[in-house]
Amino acid sequence: DTGVSQDPRHKITKRGQNVTFRCDPISEHNRLYWYRQTLGQGPEFLTYFQNEAQLEKSRLLSDRFSAERPKGSFSTLEIQRTEQGDSAMYLCASSFLGAAGTQYFGPGTRLLVL
Amino acid sequence: DQQVKQNSPSLSVQEGRISILNCDYTNSMFDYFLWYKKYPAEGPTFLISISSIKDKNEDGRFTVFLNKSAKHLSLHIVPSQPGDSAVYFCAASANAGGTSYGKLTFGQGTILTVHP
């Protein structure tokens, strides 16, 4: 399977704990995006990378959120001191620079903060 | 500020008929538009896209129409099938220069139900 993969698929944590999600993009894609989706809403942009460089961060991305893509391949999204409002589906997508704007999404990580 | 809006939360259609899903946008910088389909507990699946230099793009049963003056796009599914039942999102992107597209801005989604 050469699609976007995400791990874990589900995460339950207690408020105040730190969590980390991983995304592996389609191998030839040099852009990687993170989105968050809550019930009844469309995905909302969080941040994106071109290779190793983080090019844009949304105002939604508070100081408790950090994303990395150290070698320009997989990416991690960490949430520190989780809050109940962080409960959502976290989606990763990838695209190839130069191939218009089409992004291909992974299955998502469902986070529940108790 | 909701820059991409899908004003119909749900749509119910009989199998074999046409499904028409609508989307409006406000940001005139958007010049690339996409439709995604999403099943519960899965990520969005890309369906079809259109550049602002076109007003129509067709792929099998799916056709997207773009009306730039009205800032409106629609997705037509003909004929509709029960397997098309899902949430449909429209999304828009702005070209930052050359072929450099960045983030997608999504609408809230429309739940399509196709009855056998």
Side-chain angles (χ1 to χ4, degrees):
Chain A
D1 186 11
T2 57
V4 178
S5 61
Q6 292 186 245
D7 184 67
R9 294 291 307 274
H10 301 92
K11 180 71 177 179
I12 300 174
T13 191
K14 292 182 180 178
R15 189 176 53 183
Q17 298 294 305
N18 299 344
V19 294
T20 300
F21 309 141
R22 176 179 169 127
C23 172
D24 288 87
I26 293 170
S27 58
E28 62 268 26
H29 286 181
N30 45 17
R31 284 197 165 182
L32 186 148
Y33 307 79
W34 286 99
Y35 293 84
R36 180 173 67 189
Q37 184 179 18
T38 52
L39 198 62
Q41 300 297 318
E44 293 176 295
F45 170 76
L46 292 177
T47 187
Y48 87 95
F49 295 83
Q50 181 170 307
N51 300 314
E52 302 89 355
Q54 189 172 18
L55 295 190
E56 187 176 351
K57 289 172 29 174
S58 163
R59 289 169 294 177
L60 291 175
L61 213 65
S62 76
D63 291 344
R64 298 184 296 105
F65 287 71
S66 63
E68 293 183 344
R69 194 182 183 199
K71 298 183 179 180
S73 56
F74 73 91
S75 174
T76 58
L77 177 68
E78 181 183 19
I79 309 174
Q80 297 183 324
R81 305 180 303 282
T82 53
E83 301 172 357
Q84 289 184 324
D86 298 331
S87 297
M89 172 79 88
Y90 289 84
L91 294 162
C92 176
S94 69
S95 71
F96 183 70
L97 177 62
T102 302
Q103 298 177 19
Y104 297 89
F105 284 81
T109 295
R110 170 76 65 187
L111 172 67
L112 177 61
V113 182
L114 301 176
Chain B
D1 176 28
Q2 192 76 28
Q3 297 185 65
V4 178
K5 294 183 182 180
Q6 293 175 255
N7 291 317
S8 298
S10 63
L11 175 67
S12 183
V13 170
Q14 204 68 28
E15 181 179 5
R17 299 288 187 99
I18 184 171
S19 294
I20 300 176
L21 297 108
N22 294 302
C23 179
D24 296 294
Y25 62 97
T26 57
N27 188 339
S28 57
M29 298 299 292
F30 289 147
D31 59 359
Y32 190 71
F33 304 89
L34 311 91
W35 284 93
Y36 285 85
K37 174 180 178 180
K38 188 179 186 299
Y39 293 117
E42 294 184 11
T45 301
F46 170 70
L47 274 178
I48 192 168
S49 62
I50 187 167
S51 165
S52 61
I53 62 174
K54 295 186 175 182
D55 53 21
K56 176 183 174 180
N57 189 26
E58 193 171 351
D59 184 1
R61 296 186 299 114
F62 302 92
T63 303
V64 56
F65 296 91
L66 175 62
N67 182 334
K68 289 186 291 293
S69 60
K71 292 191 175 68
H72 177 84
L73 65 154
S74 61
L75 174 68
H76 292 208
I77 306 173
V78 183
S80 301
Q81 300 173 353
D84 295 329
S85 297
V87 182
Y88 288 78
F89 291 98
C90 69
S93 184
N95 189 334
T99 55
S100 178
Y101 287 93
K103 65 185 178 187
L104 295 177
T105 301
F106 283 83
Q108 309 96 306
T110 296
I111 301 170
L112 174 66
T113 304
V114 180
H115 298 282

